[in-house]
Amino acid sequence: MADRKSNGVSTRALITRLFLALTLTTCVLIYAVHILLVLEYPFQIEYGEGALLVYTMQLIHGPTLYPPLDQPPFVCCIYTPLFMWVTSHVMGSNVNLVAGRIVSMSATLMTVFSLAFYVRSRQGSIWGVIAAMFFLLNAVTLNWFCIGRSDNLALSFTAMGLCLAGTKMSNHRDWRLDFAIAALFACSVMTKQSFMAGAAATSLWLL
């Protein structure tokens, strides 16, 4: 009886692992094809990509990202500068949309790893993988992960900050975690100012 029960558990575990492996492989294939198509596409995928490219070029060549609004051309960058700064270093000397997309893709991977690590620390390895796959298989993630805008980078800093904040809840005396959490949320706000909401909510949670 015990042997049958043990065999049943091991069979279910094997089926679960096979299902997760198949789903993860499907995710990888979908994203690989999507990445190839996006990197070869020479025009903006979403209207914000062109604006962020202009802001990046302003950061590299001038004038300032934030000129006076009472002087021509009466426009300025509407975002905080960290995404443009990172993109400018990836771009190099050739003006292109690919650099911003690479930054966004890399940032999405950081978000996925942060999510998987946090769930794994709470529920175990399998649930960490499941959480990552749910995030990757979401249509919003698939549509936005490759767009050269600041949202993904800001989200990645926020996700890493939340991951460390969850770690801090079980280790209240480690001041290094406080510093790392503050630095990550500062980076998220310096990437896109609307992510101040995540930093404020987490600060209240940690009080």
Side-chain angles (χ1 to χ4, degrees):
M1 187 72 177
D3 290 339
R4 287 183 180 179
K5 187 174 181 181
S6 176
N7 290 336
V9 171
S10 61
T11 302
R12 286 196 297 271
L14 178 60
I15 292 173
T16 301
R17 286 180 170 83
L18 287 174
F19 175 76
L20 290 177
L22 179 61
T23 307
L24 186 59
T25 302
T26 303
C27 284
V28 171
L29 290 175
I30 290 172
Y31 274 83
V33 172
H34 200 59
I35 288 170
L36 290 175
L37 293 174
V38 165
L39 292 181
E40 291 180 352
Y41 190 69
F43 309 109
Q44 61 178 0
I45 299 171
E46 195 266 352
Y47 73 93
E49 282 194 311
L52 268 295
L53 178 60
V54 171
Y55 296 150
T56 302
M57 298 312 299
Q58 281 184 270
L59 184 66
I60 295 173
H61 301 294
T64 175
L65 282 173
Y66 310 104
L69 287 176
D70 59 350
Q71 299 175 16
F74 307 108
V75 292
C76 70
C77 178
I78 61 174
Y79 301 116
T80 40
L82 188 55
F83 176 82
M84 284 75 77
W85 182 82
V86 174
T87 302
S88 68
H89 285 76
V90 175
M91 183 183 299
S93 58
N94 296 322
V95 180
N96 59 77
L97 290 164
V98 174
R101 293 170 185 171
I102 290 174
V103 172
S104 288
M105 292 176 191
S106 303
T108 301
L109 286 177
M110 290 192 292
T111 301
V112 171
F113 286 131
S114 298
L115 175 63
F117 177 82
Y118 180 74
V119 175
R120 176 182 177 275
S121 67
R122 298 283 176 156
Q123 301 294 335
S125 299
I126 290 180
W127 286 106
V129 174
I130 291 174
M133 288 191 302
F134 267 108
F135 182 79
L136 288 172
L137 288 172
N138 188 296
V140 176
T141 305
L142 182 62
N143 289 333
W144 273 86
F145 91 103
C146 58
I147 294 176
R149 292 189 54 164
S150 57
D151 304 76
N152 289 325
L153 186 60
L155 178 62
S156 70
F157 286 127
T158 299
M160 288 187 286
L162 288 170
C163 182
L164 289 183
T167 303
K168 176 181 168 57
M169 296 301 291
S170 58
N171 191 5
H172 297 280
R173 297 183 179 181
D174 195 340
W175 64 269
R176 292 170 295 185
L177 280 177
D178 293 327
F179 180 81
I181 293 167
L184 287 167
F185 279 118
C187 287
S188 73
V189 174
M190 288 301 295
T191 303
K192 190 172 184 180
Q193 61 273 28
S194 58
F195 278 76
M196 173 66 77
T202 306
S203 298
L204 291 174
W205 178 45
L206 292 175
L207 288 178

